[in-house]
Amino acid sequence: MSLFQVVYASRPFGYDEGMLNGILADARRWNEREGITGSLICRADLYLQLLEGPVDAVTAAFGRIARDDRHLEVRRLHAGPAEQRLFPTWAMRHDPARSWMWTPDEVADGAPERASSDELLAMFERIRAEPDT
């Protein structure tokens, strides 16, 4: 099995704790079944998610997310092979946005779209190094 990663950004629709919990429950259920791991960074103006696993499973998961009405303006920011999983034990790790991430103004100005694949993956590597939330 070759390992594949996708990083996408979207804008939440109707963001609240209940909706977030539903997204996490759905993601964990699907991902465990499909061999996908990853991390979801979220706040009221941004979802930033890394998915990793078999190429067909990750591609299908991204397609479901793109059609999910809880996400607006879904943009794939990175896609490609990976040497190893960043989150091997997490069907979906939930991480609130950190203070070192983009500000809401930077997100609105397109910072996620301007970030390189290396910058995006480095953000998730930094989260991986932090204690679990």
Side-chain angles (χ1 to χ4, degrees):
M1 169 191 83
S2 62
L3 185 61
F4 189 72
Q5 290 177 326
V6 166
V7 175
Y8 77 87
S10 68
R11 191 168 52 87
F13 178 77
Y15 181 83
D16 65 19
E17 196 69 27
M19 193 224 4
L20 175 60
N21 289 336
I23 287 174
L24 289 168
D26 291 346
R28 289 174 179 145
R29 183 176 54 253
W30 275 97
N31 293 354
E32 285 177 11
R33 184 173 51 233
E34 300 297 323
I36 297 172
T37 56
S39 179
L40 172 64
I41 300 167
C42 53
R43 64 185 193 207
D45 67 330
L46 175 70
Y47 288 138
L48 185 69
Q49 185 171 29
L50 175 131
L51 301 168
E52 53 192 6
V55 65
D56 291 345
V58 170
T59 301
F62 178 73
R64 281 191 305 278
I65 291 163
R67 293 184 303 274
D68 188 325
D69 62 4
R70 298 172 293 189
H71 297 265
L72 301 173
E73 302 167 12
V74 177
R75 289 106 51 215
R76 186 174 67 185
L77 306 176
H78 164 78
E83 302 233 349
Q84 63 183 5
R85 292 178 188 258
L86 290 177
F87 299 94
T89 62
W90 284 91
M92 187 49 54
R93 180 174 166 161
H94 163 234
D95 289 285
R98 306 297 204 272
S99 62
W100 49 262
M101 291 185 63
W102 306 297
T103 67
D105 287 342
E106 290 170 326
V107 169
D109 192 41
E113 291 77 13
R114 287 192 306 275
S116 70
S117 290
D118 288 342
E119 290 168 329
L120 292 165
L121 293 174
M123 188 176 297
F124 284 101
E125 288 170 4
R126 184 172 176 178
I127 289 170
R128 177 183 67 174
E130 294 180 356
D132 296 344
T133 57

